[in-house]
Amino acid sequence: MKKKLLDKYLFWIVLGLFIIAAFIIRLKLAPNTELSPDYDSYYREWVEFYRANGIVKGLENAPGDYYVPFNVIYALCSLLPVEPWVPLSMIPFVCELVSAFFICKIFFLLTGKKETSLFIGGVTLFLPFVVFNGALWKQVDAVYTCFLIISLYELLRQKYRAAFIWYAVSFAFKLQSIIFLPVLVILYLTDGFLSETNEASSEKKKLSIINFFWIPVVYLIAGLPEVLAGHGLKATYFAYLGQTGELQSEGYGMVSYFPNIYNWGLDPYDEILTVPAVLTLLVVLAVLALFCYRKKESLDRNTVLYLAIFLAWTCLMLLPGMHERYDYAMLLLLTPFAVMIRKKLIVPMVVANLCSLATYSITLFHTDIFDMKVVSIFYVAAYIYTAIDFVRVINGGISKVEA
């Protein structure tokens, strides 16, 4: 009887312990607000601003440069009779749980391995950048990422309308989700993808251009709370344009502790390199789009997820003004993908995670043993390895290349 009970419930007990341990870790880290470079300067002040002015008046004069959904979150946090760090730590954790759940669903869809998918989803709760981002930094990258992962899940199921709506919600929360837009554009050009790795039983459902209109529609709807509060149409809807201008206005340079090529002496030259960098990225994306179009019969669920990860990573490598946190969503997908789908990526995946840990250590713990130039060498090398592997895979598809 005891053995039967263990066989039936041991896995679920372990999974439950994962979630409890993840919660306790965040509970221990969350009060340490002095480690966040932004909490006292921005997030706490924003919550206190809404407490002093009320939600309506606060949204009318919304502080910061975030778009409306995040401002609404900070406004709602002001209603709670606790220190701001409490909800600002717990909201990301809830979204991390949502992301972990849909990561389970994605990899169960791709592999059919239920317990392994559940396990790998639980493991994502312990990735250093996931833990530190919300619990210590009080950042909210987990929020837009959870909607992005739901979008990818629906995309892999070829539920295109749902995929675009969830992507639009993610975009309304954070501009950084734009690095996953190229995969949607390419899938439109390729008329979708094969629904299964077995071509004989696969179907291809075309992606209509109409779906792209969900992005501006949701964006406009998301801005209504501030518009109705009297913030103004231009001030509300041009928030992202203001964010892109911070490259010069706040002196970020070409990179802000993100381990890409701009750490190699190029950081101070944003005034002359920004436009060439963006145009170079557009050319690279156009070449990749052409390549995928020519090899569109190789696109199945596995390769589409790989495509999404690789395109996002490419954007991170070439776009100016990237911060140390901006690979959050990409790395959250790359990690289980390497373990469960493409084991040849385990080494670059581990390297990318270690580079991420190094950048968080510099920012949060002021560690001086890491040189960003050296960290960038390893990170770029991991990307180049992945780029070479990606080209091989698209040439034949993961199902045709030894994983």
Side-chain angles (χ1 to χ4, degrees), residues 146-166:
C146 78
F147 298 118
L148 184 61
I149 290 177
I150 296 172
S151 171
L152 288 173
Y153 171 67
E154 298 294 352
L155 181 69
L156 295 175
R157 296 172 65 218
Q158 296 186 329
K159 305 293 184 182
Y160 295 136
R161 181 186 299 174
F164 272 83
I165 291 174
W166 284 113

Side-chain angles (χ1 to χ4, degrees), residues 46-66:
W46 293 347
V47 174
E48 296 298 342
F49 176 84
Y50 287 108
R51 279 179 176 166
N53 293 275
I55 291 180
V56 176
K57 193 68 177 177
L59 289 175
E60 181 184 355
N61 303 281
D65 61 354
Y66 281 170

Side-chain angles (χ1 to χ4, degrees), residues 342-361:
R342 190 66 175 165
K343 290 181 174 55
K344 289 183 179 180
L345 295 180
I346 285 180
V347 171
M349 176 272 289
V350 170
V351 169
N353 272 277
L354 290 175
C355 289
S356 175
L357 176 59
T359 59
Y360 274 78
S361 297

